Amino acid sequence: MLVNREASGPRWRPRPDGPDKVTGRLAYLTDRTAPGMLYGRVLRSAHPHARLLGVDTAAAAALPGVRAVLTAADVPGHNGYGIARPHQPVFCTDRVRYVGDAIAAVAADTPELAARALALIEVRYAPLPVLDDPQAALAEDAALLHPEGNVLHSAAYTRGEIAAGFAACAHIVEAVYETPRQMHAYMETEGGLFVPEPDGRLSVYAASQHGRMDRLQLARILDRPECEIRVVSSPIGGSFGGKDELNVQPYGALLALRCGRPVKVHHTRAESVRAGIKRHPMRIAMRTGADSAGRLLAHEVDIVADTGAYATLGAEVLNFAVEHALGLYRCPNVTVTGRAVYTNNGVSGEFRGFGGNQALFALEGQMDRLAARMKVDPWLLRGLNLRRAADPGPLGQRIAPTDGARQVWAALE
């Protein structure tokens, strides 16, 4: 709660929103209500991978108190979203690729009626083989999850002569590191209030890190100008990358415009686990070598990231992991390759660290293993190999000179 230390001395002043946050007085966007408000819910796939043969909403629409039941046929614009690649369906039409895929949405007078309406929707599936591991998705005979194949993105860089570098090494360590899927676990799950205004515009009160991009994507989905959509995205009860992408916004917006009444959509924790984006699981193979003095000579890395069913920012996360595979160390011979692979698992995307965490976890494991192999202090081994202030970036790019790595190393010592 206390921030902004003043230059005159160790005096502090409270954050403007601090007292309301710690006392619980702050009203988040998911706390909002409106007169005549309806409650929205989304029907998700019962299978991780299946053909969608039919959706019957008649019984749900006939339930008293249900004001709207929507499917893909009710999307006036582009039936898809995604910050970098807008190919995740708002509502699936012929195929589902993970259990978070949306098939229909309802608006009703009460949350209980909305839940009952979802249970009345009949969906016919033809299950397909499930690719629950990137290695299975990379097999030559694997089913294609998208027309372009099962690899969303590849990235690589090389400098020096990797074979010659390893040939000159006195010590070499090799290991495979696996990092798991991880949930952001923000206290405020995805949700918001969607209000059709008297002048025909739509007001969106939904916690988001990217209000401007939300508006752009909603304009495409709703087939209306951006100037007719107002997005209020703060305060936000935690995100850490998990609310950078659209979540409930397409469904709340479509339902509110169809009903002509405010609609509230708020994920339960179970819905957030099922449909929200997560940190990329990665399998990282590393081979690292040093001379007899402990100076790194060669570093070889292969990264396979489980990007899940759709792209969101999976390509960008992989790029960041590839760039950080050498971290803050110096090494003349480096080869790094990476692939982000589609699977029928939940969608992987943005999370604090943006792919760098996974790569650095593996890299620091290598440094510990190398120190153990050489029987030297791992802290001194790190200090010996730290980048210098004027060194280029990991890809050889020009960056602002910084001795931050050495300063942190010295402070932690």
Side-chain angles (χ1 to χ4, degrees), residues 125-181:
Y125 301 93
L128 295 170
V130 175
L131 300 176
D132 60 359
D133 179 83
Q135 298 301 325
L138 289 171
E140 290 187 6
D141 59 348
L144 297 184
L145 297 182
H146 292 278
E148 67 273 22
N150 290 343
V151 177
L152 162 65
H153 180 63
S154 297
Y157 77 89
T158 298
R159 72 164 175 266
E161 296 292 337
I162 194 70
F166 278 116
C169 289
H171 306 279
I172 297 174
V173 294
E174 188 169 0
V176 176
Y177 302 85
E178 294 187 3
T179 63
R181 181 171 287 99

Side-chain angles (χ1 to χ4, degrees), residues 23 37 39 43 56 93 129 133 139 147 165 186 217 226 251 281 306 309 317 356-357 377:
T23 59
M37 182 180 77
Y39 295 86
L43 179 68
D56 187 347
T93 55
D133 179 83
Y186 25 73
Q217 295 200 75
E226 288 186 51
Y251 311 105
D306 181 351
V317 168
N357 306 52
D377 186 323

